[in-house]
Amino acid sequence: MKQFALVIAVMMSLQFMNAQENYVPTEENLDARKWFQDARFGLFIHWGVYSILGDGEWVMNNQNIAIDEYEKLPSFFNPTEFDADEWVRMVKEAGMKYITITSRHHDGFSMFDSNVTDYTIVKKTPYKKDVLKLLAEACKKEGIKLFFYYSLLDWHDDNYFPRGRTGTKIPGRSTSGDWEKYIAFMKAQLTELLTNYGEITGIWFDGHWDQKEWDGKRFGALRVDWHYDEIYKLIHDLQPHCLIGNNHHIAPVKGEDFQMFERDLPGQNTTGFGTDVSDLGQLPFETCKTINGSWGFNLKDRNHKTSRELIQYLIKASSHNSNLLLNVGPMPNGKIQEKHVNSLAEMGKWLGKYGASIYGTRSGPVQRGDSIRSTQKGKEIYIHFLKKQGGDVSLKGFKAKIKKISFFGSDERIKYSLKKEILRFEIPENKYDEIDTIVTVTLR
Ligand code: GLC
């Protein structure tokens, strides 16, 4: 009997993990994946009416704000200082190649013009403008690619029923609803997002985990059918190149085009929700990370990472064969905190000099914890020393044949020896850089 129940449970969970089973990526899609991997660095933007409260994008859940109370926020949302061109300029100067912005977060508020709901920036705020439209235009002008984050989970919509594990204490949520209608609503919105904003390079889903059983320790089966088969097909039919990623914290399923990691590098699981090493798939990787400690604007968050930490994280991500999607949470007036703008500019300056060791690279052959990382592009291996090494450097397991070794950007050769796959050379004290000392190994 027990076994029978188990079989049924497994069948149910499989049934609910409908993926785009017969998906074969198109040529354009494969090209987009290659572009994506080469790009290595993008800006994540969490922006919504929650920014008014300065307490992150989960404020509705965290402060248990009732539906009708939260509904007042849009009437205060008037980001008169928002300038899409300025954001895109900042992105370019940071050396980033794309933007992923929240089109609708868990609060259910659409930051774009939608015909299938009134709960939108255009219909409910004094600002009235479609910020995604403005951003799409600015991105197009500057050759910056655009991704839309889209929440599967919704704390506002009556039809998001059964409700998930989160937002359970939000007063005023419905006690009944029509799941199929909710799916139809999401499909209609995704159609709008992929029809009205020109070329969209990717869709970034989040919230899947809200519908997983949770016993306080472990996740169990999924309680709903997200209809990924239909949703992914819809997206790929509308824009075949469009890269689908889903922050479901499990290994990718059919129909997805990249694998994402939240606040963790691929193979790490410090947060508890990263996918583990055994789940690393063949798709391009992307790691997302906050510039401070929050996604949405948080007034009291003083955990700003230094530009050194950020640059080193970008290097680590590249060495893990992953992009870095670095997040900022704009303020309710449409501005991005000056501290963050400055850190991004610092990153851009660094990339202006050392970008060749990041863009277009893949993971390199030597990695040693947090102190030595490597990237590779064709015959050039870039060994990044993130910490000073005492004495000679010796790197084990170096199999390739070497033509020469030099400091990045310099013709001056470094003397080395390569015996029994151990590469040895010396980095003089005065050659060490605060952030990253890059040694270029050119292969034969
Ligand atoms: C989490 C949070 C969400 C945030 C996302 C970014 O899933 O629910 O607020 O958007 O991480 O990775």
Side-chain angles (χ1 to χ4, degrees):
M1 195 58 200
K2 237 181 168 175
Q3 263 174 344
F4 181 66
L6 190 74
V7 171
I8 295 287
V10 169
M11 277 170 58
M12 297 277 280
S13 61
L14 284 179
Q15 179 201 336
F16 285 150
M17 200 57 209
N18 269 338
Q20 196 185 342
E21 281 312 328
N22 52 3
Y23 176 55
V24 181
T26 59
E27 231 13 73
E28 302 115 282
N29 188 281
L30 296 174
D31 287 349
R33 291 182 190 185
K34 160 112 190 1
W35 169 85
F36 182 64
Q37 280 192 299
D38 288 348
R40 282 293 175 242
F41 192 27
L43 183 71
F44 208 175
I45 302 178
H46 275 70
W47 199 31
V49 294
Y50 44 77
S51 61
I52 297 169
L53 299 174
D55 195 13
E57 78 291 355
W58 272 66
V59 61
M60 187 180 189
N61 170 88
N62 297 353
Q63 292 188 21
N64 300 320
I65 303 175
I67 302 261
D68 58 344
E69 292 161 353
Y70 198 90
E71 279 175 349
K72 294 189 179 129
L73 286 179
S75 64
F76 315 138
F77 190 70
N78 195 11
T80 48
E81 304 292 302
F82 169 65
D83 179 346
D85 292 319
E86 194 180 303
W87 282 14
V88 173
R89 215 175 304 129
M90 174 193 77
V91 161
K92 275 197 112 165
E93 279 170 20
M96 293 162 153
K97 308 292 180 193
Y98 62 101
I99 295 176
T100 304
I101 186 167
T102 45
S103 60
R104 176 172 146 282
H105 206 269
H106 311 334
D107 65 355
F109 189 75
S110 299
M111 292 293 281
F112 61 102
D113 192 13
S114 174
N115 283 328
V116 289
T117 172
D118 284 343
Y119 203 44
T120 75
I121 188 165
V122 175
K123 292 180 202 157
K124 293 285 186 208
T125 72
Y127 191 63
K128 294 194 171 64
K129 286 184 240 172
D130 180 339
V131 288
L132 297 195
K133 189 53 131 294
L134 296 169
L135 190 63
E137 283 160 7
C139 282
K140 192 170 178 207
K141 265 192 278 174
E142 294 295 332
I144 292 293
K145 306 248 192 217
L146 188 59
F147 290 56
F148 289 140
Y149 167 109
Y150 191 80
S151 175
L152 296 157
L153 137 68
D154 192 313
W155 294 320
H156 182 268
D157 196 312
D158 285 352
N159 285 327
Y160 183 77
F161 195 90
R163 301 190 306 213
R165 316 183 279 113
T166 68
T168 50
K169 297 203 181 90
I170 294 173
R173 289 185 80 189
S174 66
T175 48
S176 66
D178 185 336
W179 184 257
E180 298 307 314
K181 273 200 187 139
Y182 180 68
I183 297 290
F185 160 74
M186 289 203 293
K187 281 162 74 177
Q189 283 213 317
L190 286 161
T191 305
E192 294 176 329
L193 289 170
L194 288 152
T195 312
N196 302 336
Y197 299 86
E199 184 184 304
I200 297 307
T201 304
I203 298 289
W204 208 104
F205 286 109
D206 191 18
H208 168 99
W209 31 259
D210 192 47
Q211 292 291 351
K212 273 180 160 182
E213 305 281 359
W214 173 251
D215 64 5
K217 274 197 192 132
R218 227 164 300 194
F219 280 117
L222 258 186
R223 310 195 307 187
V224 297
D225 179 358
W226 287 114
H227 293 260
Y228 290 136
D229 48 349
E230 295 158 40
I231 290 179
Y232 290 178
K233 183 174 181 319
L234 172 81
I235 295 170
H236 286 136
D237 282 350
L238 288 166
Q239 299 205 23
H241 63 266
C242 186
L243 302 175
I244 298 176
N246 192 328
N247 191 29
H248 43 36
H249 304 157
I250 53 172
V253 302
K254 269 279 186 153
E256 292 167 7
D257 304 297
F258 65 102
Q259 181 173 10
M260 53 177 80
F261 302 85
E262 185 178 337
R263 299 188 208 224
D264 258 326
L265 293 165
Q268 297 183 342
N269 191 4
T270 57
T271 49
F273 34 68
T275 35
D276 71 42
V277 197
S278 54
D279 279 340
L280 293 188
Q282 295 305 307
L283 299 177
F285 297 156
E286 184 191 63
T287 289
C288 59
K289 187 95 173 161
T290 50
I291 199 163
N292 47 7
S294 323
W295 300 107
F297 174 57
N298 188 330
L299 188 63
K300 291 185 288 187
D301 186 342
R302 300 174 201 115
N303 272 326
H304 310 286
K305 297 182 179 80
T306 62
S307 49
R308 177 173 184 268
E309 284 174 293
L310 295 169
I311 293 167
Q312 292 201 339
Y313 205 78
L314 173 64
I315 297 163
K316 287 179 204 169
S318 300
S319 75
H320 275 88
N321 216 8
S322 173
N323 288 10
L324 172 62
L325 182 65
L326 180 61
N327 181 79
V328 295
M331 299 182 283
N333 64 353
K335 286 277 185 206
I336 292 164
Q337 297 187 62
E338 203 183 332
K339 234 187 169 42
H340 299 169
V341 175
N342 292 342
S343 298
L344 294 180
E346 288 296 318
M347 294 184 84
K349 255 194 247 155
W350 186 87
L351 279 162
K353 260 185 162 166
Y354 302 108
S357 72
I358 301 291
Y359 300 122
T361 62
R362 299 293 181 266
S363 182
V366 279
Q367 314 291 357
R368 201 184 284 165
D370 273 347
S371 52
I372 306 178
R373 308 299 310 173
S374 73
T375 53
Q376 180 166 7
K377 186 176 178 182
K379 295 206 164 192
E380 315 279 4
I381 294 171
Y382 303 101
I383 308 182
H384 302 262
F385 293 89
L386 304 183
K387 287 193 187 122
K388 261 189 198 170
Q389 306 296 310
D392 275 10
V393 175
S394 75
L395 301 169
K396 283 186 196 140
F398 207 94
K399 297 199 176 68
K401 289 206 169 123
I402 297 173
K403 188 168 159 200
K404 62 168 186 166
I405 300 190
S406 53
F407 286 104
F408 183 95
S410 147
D411 290 333
E412 195 190 325
R413 300 206 175 189
I414 300 175
K415 279 198 202 126
Y416 69 92
S417 74
L418 179 59
K419 277 185 207 129
K420 292 191 181 152
E421 296 182 359
I422 301 177
L423 175 62
R424 281 206 173 85
F425 55 88
E426 189 204 345
I427 302 178
E429 192 66 25
N430 65 354
K431 289 283 184 185
Y432 273 106
D433 180 276
E434 242 297 272
I435 299 176
D436 181 19
T437 311
I438 311 174
V439 168
T440 309
V441 177
T442 309
L443 303 180
R444 274 186 203 285

